[in-house]
Amino acid sequence: MRRLNLDLADRSYPILIGGGLLSRADLILPFLRSARVALVSNTTVAPLYQEVLATALDKAGVAVTPIILPDGEAHKNWESLNLIYDALLATRCDRGTTVVALGGGVIGDLAGFAAATYQRGVPFVQIPTTLLSQVDSSVGGKTGINHPRGKNMVGAFWQPKLVLADTDTLKTLPDRELSAGMAEVIKYGLIRDLPFLGWLEANMEGLLARNGELLAEAIERSCANKAEVVAADEYETAREGGRALLNLGHTFGHAIETGLGYGEWLHGEAVAAGTVMAVELSHRLGWLSAADVGRVRVLLRRAGLPVKGADLGAARYLELMSHDKKVVAGSLRLVLLKALGHAVTYADTPRDELVAAIDACCRE
Ligand code: NAD
Ligand code: GLY
């Protein structure tokens, strides 16, 4: 088992990565406030993994209330959140109850927001089961739901007590979802870890073939990067750089997700196309070479990801991007690359360059 720590003073927590962890109730017990757990999952993940976890907790004397939500990004909304509150209230869960998220990023974000708000906050544990959630969404405490006008627009920062990533769960993940997670893995290489980018280029086929050691290595290196960034700027308040850099490609990607309707493209797919737009724009600003742009495109393609944007039209992209959470006093801050492995936040992009970069990426 690999072990990392997210260092947030009295809210620090471990990130445990390895095979066979779902049945290890002993790893979870020290983080429970009482012997009561609300286990939030969905109709796809629960039949696969709920029993092994619930049985292990039950044997350890923990009472488990299962809460099973409909599956999909389209359900990351108030209705699902209310289903969680209803179940917590109906079964008289109290402030000692720990909410445990078992699933991908949608379940993690929903369950986390429920934990942040139920009775003004109860403890929370993340058990991510997709590559994307194991390398990104389970770590760092961002929780929330979508609004029809914008992705992740309602939410809270609420750190888990523990992240338990069982790499065996990736064996049942559909190929398209594995690729979607790879977009966030590649992100860490692009924004701050050039050696990791090279390692991904050398190992992409093995990763997609689900070599367990390679996947564990990629998850650990991704989480190590994320933990460092979050520890330095937990609430994304740094004036420049900081946690916002984790959103490379996301401003464009969120426009695709909202513009097409949630669930049409996978989050990671939208991030991949958005990353190409950010890289293309960085090239137009003179920071990246054409060869750099080509290198990013090739790696994303090899990971099975789209490099062409959804054809919404540049005007619609700009309209949707104007709702981004990185807009400060009306000015859009984009995450761009000064070089491969070196991201910055940038508020001075000329509008015509932005439009040209979007158009170029939607054409090809
Ligand atoms: P997801 O949660 O929708 O999971 C993808 C699909 O895989 C779903 O159908 C799910 O039921 C299924 N699944 C999950 N685990 C499985 C398994 N082991 N075997 C088979 N099927 C499995 O999507 P995701 O990519 O995990 O997460 C995307 C979400 O995460 C988005 O809503 C995004 O906004 C959010 N996100 C949040 C953060 C954050 O910091 N909080 C960061 C990145 C992304
Ligand atoms: N996924 C971006 C962040 O956690 O800040």
Side-chain angles (χ1 to χ4, degrees), residues 174-236:
D175 288 343
R176 191 178 162 199
E177 299 288 353
L178 190 74
S179 288
M182 216 54 85
E184 304 280 19
V185 176
I186 292 168
K187 168 185 84 180
Y188 296 111
L190 291 175
I191 63 170
R192 71 193 304 273
D193 192 345
L194 197 54
F196 187 39
L197 190 71
W199 184 88
L200 290 170
E201 289 173 322
N203 291 293
M204 186 51 68
E205 278 67 37
L207 287 162
L208 294 180
R210 303 178 197 232
N211 175 304
E213 265 310 297
L214 290 179
L215 280 172
E217 177 75 13
I219 295 164
E220 183 181 9
R221 289 174 81 162
S222 298
C223 287
N225 271 295
K226 178 143 189 186
E228 272 181 30
V229 172
V230 172
D233 183 24
E234 181 181 4
Y235 297 111
E236 207 169 307

Side-chain angles (χ1 to χ4, degrees), residues 136 139-140 142 184 187 226 230 236 243 246-247 250:
D136 191 350
V139 174
K142 279 191 182 175
E184 304 280 19
K187 168 185 84 180
K226 178 143 189 186
V230 172
E236 207 169 307
R243 185 167 182 167
L246 295 172
N247 288 317
H250 284 58

Side-chain angles (χ1 to χ4, degrees), residues 136-198:
D136 191 350
S137 62
S138 63
V139 174
K142 279 191 182 175
T143 73
I145 57 173
N146 300 327
H147 186 279
R149 284 179 185 270
K151 175 96 179 131
N152 295 333
M153 278 296 155
V154 181
F157 286 97
W158 193 249
Q159 298 294 345
K161 301 286 181 199
L162 164 73
V163 178
L164 193 76
D166 185 336
T167 49
D168 286 344
T169 60
L170 300 181
K171 290 176 184 158
T172 56
L173 196 65
D175 288 343
R176 191 178 162 199
E177 299 288 353
L178 190 74
S179 288
M182 216 54 85
E184 304 280 19
V185 176
I186 292 168
K187 168 185 84 180
Y188 296 111
L190 291 175
I191 63 170
R192 71 193 304 273
D193 192 345
L194 197 54
F196 187 39
L197 190 71

Side-chain angles (χ1 to χ4, degrees), residues 42-45 48-49 71-73 76 102-109 126 128-134 136-144 146 151-152 166 168-174 177 180-181 184 187 226 243 247 250 254 257 266-268 271:
N42 71 21
T43 49
T44 303
V45 178
L48 293 168
Y49 299 115
D71 185 11
E73 186 73 40
K76 191 173 150 183
L102 175 68
V106 169
I107 286 297
D109 283 10
Q126 286 269 22
T129 62
T130 62
L131 180 62
L132 187 141
S133 56
Q134 293 187 354
D136 191 350
S137 62
S138 63
V139 174
K142 279 191 182 175
T143 73
N146 300 327
K151 175 96 179 131
N152 295 333
D166 185 336
D168 286 344
T169 60
L170 300 181
K171 290 176 184 158
T172 56
L173 196 65
E177 299 288 353
E184 304 280 19
K187 168 185 84 180
K226 178 143 189 186
R243 185 167 182 167
N247 288 317
H250 284 58
H254 287 167
E257 290 186 85
L266 301 183
H267 174 70
V271 166

